[in-house]
Amino acid sequence: MTVIYELMKNKVLVSGACGWLCAQVLKMIFYAVMNRKLSIERLFGDGGMPSGHSATVCAMATAACMHYGVGSFEFAITAMVAIIVMHDAMGVRLETGRQAVVINQMIDLFRPISDKFDMQERLKEFVGHTPIQVAAGAVLGVALGILINR
């Protein structure tokens, strides 16, 4: 029981978890409004608005800054991880999703003429984020980090 209590006292961890949870719930709501259908997969999936990755790491960096100070190694580590994660979400992961769209379209196009394109599952297309999605996640994460840690 002590371990659970200690984890719940860890404001950096709690901030990150809250950032992720809030972003994922918002992502599911935005998807439902835009597509007029509820997709529970969006609650756990990657990609979309806002970035859950950005919200998580920015909430953690904000909490570390507030608890340990801007000159601390805790803040330095969380800030650098946040920069790397957000850059990756807009770079490699965004391109991977764009490529998945094209590959899925090609498979659909060639499937009728060859059984070699009979894939059971489509490639995941929601894996990365646009800069606006990353920025929205970052703002959400900073705001939650401040609210949880003030």
Side-chain angles (χ1 to χ4, degrees):
M1 204 60 164
T2 307
V3 172
I4 294 171
Y5 178 73
E6 290 293 321
L7 286 173
M8 296 308 292
K9 275 183 25 183
N10 186 329
K11 295 289 188 174
V12 176
L13 180 65
V14 169
S15 296
C18 288
W20 177 83
L21 182 63
C22 288
Q24 294 303 110
V25 169
L26 286 171
K27 187 183 302 189
M28 185 178 69
I29 292 168
F30 291 155
Y31 184 87
V33 169
M34 298 296 290
N35 295 286
R36 301 182 200 273
K37 69 176 183 176
L38 183 64
S39 174
I40 300 299
E41 179 188 302
R42 299 308 311 139
L43 188 60
F44 301 102
D46 296 328
M49 171 68 109
S51 166
H53 291 86
S54 296
T56 302
V57 294
C58 286
M60 292 178 71
T62 302
C65 181
M66 292 178 75
H67 278 279
Y68 304 109
V70 74
S72 68
F73 78 91
E74 292 91 347
F75 174 69
I77 291 169
T78 55
M80 291 307 298
V81 168
I83 291 167
I84 292 166
V85 166
M86 292 186 293
H87 181 267
D88 183 63
M90 291 185 298
V92 174
R93 291 181 52 240
L94 180 60
E95 286 303 315
T96 300
R98 289 177 176 161
Q99 291 170 5
V101 169
V102 173
I103 292 169
N104 284 338
Q105 290 171 346
M106 290 171 59
I107 290 169
D108 291 343
L109 180 68
F110 289 112
R111 184 172 282 139
I113 60 174
S114 175
D115 60 354
K116 293 180 181 171
F117 293 100
D118 189 26
M119 292 178 59
Q120 298 298 320
E121 292 184 34
R122 297 175 62 78
L123 297 175
K124 289 183 181 180
E125 297 176 4
F126 284 113
V127 290
H129 295 283
T130 65
I132 291 172
Q133 293 169 340
V134 169
V139 169
L140 175 63
V142 170
L144 286 169
I146 292 170
L147 282 173
I148 293 168
N149 294 283
R150 57 182 178 119

